[in-house]
Amino acid sequence: MKVDKTLVASVALHVLVIGWGLISFSARSLEAPPPESMPVDIISADQLSKITAGIKTGEKDKPKPPVEKIADARPVDDAVGKITEKKEIVTASAPEPPPKPVEKPVEKKPDPPKPVAEDKPKDEPKPIEKKPDPPKVDPIAEALKSEDTKKLVPKPEAKAAPPQPPKPKQERTFDQSKIAALLDKRDPTRQSITGSALNSSASLGTTRGAAATLSQSELDAMRARLASLWNVQPGVEHPEELYVTVRIRLNPDRRLAAPPQVVSSGSSARYQAAAEAAVRAVLQGQPYTMLRDETYEQWKYMDIDFDPKQMFRS
Amino acid sequence: MNPADVAQAALPLPSADVSLIALFLQAHWVVKAVMLGLLACSIWVWAIAIDKMFLYSRTKRAMDRFEQAFWSGQSIEELYRALSAKPTQSMAACFVAAMREWKRSFESQARSFAGLQMRIEKVMNVSIAREIERLERRLLVLATVGSAGPFVGLFGTVWGIMSSFQSIAASKNTSLAVVAPGIAEALFATAIGLIAAIPATIFYNKFTSEVNRQAQRLEGFADEFSAILSRQIDERA
């Protein structure tokens, strides 16, 4: 029969295929690159609180625009800033001993431009909007400016030279740092409000941030207090029966906002006694002065476990 | 001890051998049986396929040759004499059967023309049917393997996964290194099932259409030839 021949052919074919499979079908193990290590710093609770702390006096309404670069920001809508500077230079160069009085008059003279120019170099963009009041000169800012200006000196001088006939009369004391500061004002002409300075002032922190966490020490203190107040017979059999969970709600004044609720359940008489003791302990323990204001969100609602093993561990 | 050995020894789990042979050897005996059965199926399917391929091309060539001879103007008597000497197939067989019937009717003294036409057609039909049967033989094997192969393979896989899960449960260890070899060997059964079934299905479809084409060609010839003979009958009657 022909099938015999073809059967042989078929077998040969399969042998070939399987042989090829044996050779080529070797499992390659997948390469698993080790995950990149992530550096972890361990910081103390104290450090954490310092990091996340905001300043209470910060303004909430006007969020500061984040500024990363000083130079690149695009100019403000109105060109006010640019115009002012030239005139100011003149005035600046003749500063009276007390810097503040000098600057005020000077700046008011050039009416068209608001004193924006002066404010820009300062750290915060905000003040610009407040223009009307005299700009405060703050020594640190001045110092900073002076540092900046040293680099930039060549330009501003070139600009400054031509326009300045108006007020040569005033005495000119040569005070390098002040000149630098004044020069600084005009050279940032281009800087837009948003881009004028790094926004380095402290923020309020995010509204939803939970960075302030209930610290272990607070918890421990509270636990210690409750343990001292929880009057339950230790050392009885089956202490696990005495496990009581009490839910409390606290006011910011650290007192209970509502009567404590026993969440756990148990039937034995000893459990009932323990639960009542726990409730009493919670009531007696207030106010819980060990809790911090910052973490109110954390301890507003609490489930307190009264566990004989935990409480009397020591 | 060279570095490679050290590296090997350092591995916590010696990586399981997953070559084909190892996959087969590690399998449960049911899975093994399934694999072997499917392998046998595959071999059988390919044997049939190779056989049929040759058969069909041979048949086709024979038909071509016969038609050429038939329509070449050669006398039918001579053709019959040449063909009837040796065993024939397909169209030639059909022709020979019809001619034999014709001759018998004429050579016998009875000279019964009545029903001769019908007899010739019957004879030709029988020979066509025999021919088609020969062409179609074993095609059902292909169809069966094509349709049932994946299921059989799947059965092997399910069984393999079942047993590997049982062994997971027994060892209480679910790490992938424990699970993987069992599942790989189980899936191997499905792979073999598919390897057997896919060619079977393709060959079955191809061969079925081939058989249909050849059967149609045979019937066409039979009709033509019976028309010719029927004209002869009417002329001689």
Side-chain angles (χ1 to χ4, degrees), chain A residues 120-162:
Chain A
K120 284 177 195 166
K122 290 177 191 168
D123 289 345
E124 331 161 14
K126 281 183 197 166
I128 293 168
E129 285 143 25
K130 299 173 189 167
K131 281 305 133 57
D133 25 355
K136 341 149 191 172
V137 175
D138 110 290
I140 298 177
E142 292 265 338
L144 285 176
K145 283 177 214 163
S146 64
E147 281 183 7
D148 287 348
T149 38
K150 279 169 198 164
K151 301 171 196 165
L152 302 173
V153 168
K155 267 193 204 167
E157 276 187 358
K159 284 182 189 172

Side-chain angles (χ1 to χ4, degrees), chain A residues 94-105:
Chain A
E96 297 164 12
K100 278 184 185 175
V102 172
E103 285 182 358
K104 278 182 195 170

Side-chain angles (χ1 to χ4, degrees), chain B residues 203-214:
Chain B
F203 282 131
Y204 177 72
N205 290 337
K206 181 179 174 337
F207 292 160
T208 313
S209 71
E210 188 78 18
V211 167
N212 279 341
R213 210 175 313 133
Q214 298 203 352

Side-chain angles (χ1 to χ4, degrees), chain A residues 1-3 6-11 13-14 18 21-22 25-27, chain B residues 18-21 23 39 42-44 46-47 50-51 54 58 137-138:
Chain A
M1 190 79 192
K2 266 160 240 155
V3 170
T6 56
L7 196 61
V8 171
S10 172
V11 168
L13 188 74
H14 280 77
I18 292 175
L22 286 182
F25 188 82
S26 60
Chain B
V18 284
S19 68
L20 288 186
I21 293 276
L23 280 185
L39 191 66
S42 178
I43 291 175
W44 187 232
W46 277 91
I50 294 170
D51 177 43
F54 284 121
R58 228 182 308 124
R137 199 185 319 155
R138 299 214 191 84

Side-chain angles (χ1 to χ4, degrees), chain B residues 81-130:
Chain B
R81 233 172 287 130
L83 287 176
S84 60
K86 54 190 175 183
T88 54
Q89 283 179 341
S90 81
M91 223 176 247
C94 182
F95 168 79
V96 168
M99 282 302 289
R100 191 178 298 130
E101 186 60 35
W102 165 270
K103 289 233 166 212
R104 252 183 231 147
S105 299
F106 270 92
E107 282 164 3
S108 70
Q109 301 304 317
R111 297 243 159 184
S112 59
F113 290 115
L116 176 57
Q117 173 77 27
M118 220 166 66
R119 280 203 300 281
I120 287 177
E121 278 178 13
K122 273 236 169 78
V123 166
M124 285 206 289
N125 276 345
V126 167
S127 75
I128 287 176
R130 206 174 295 139

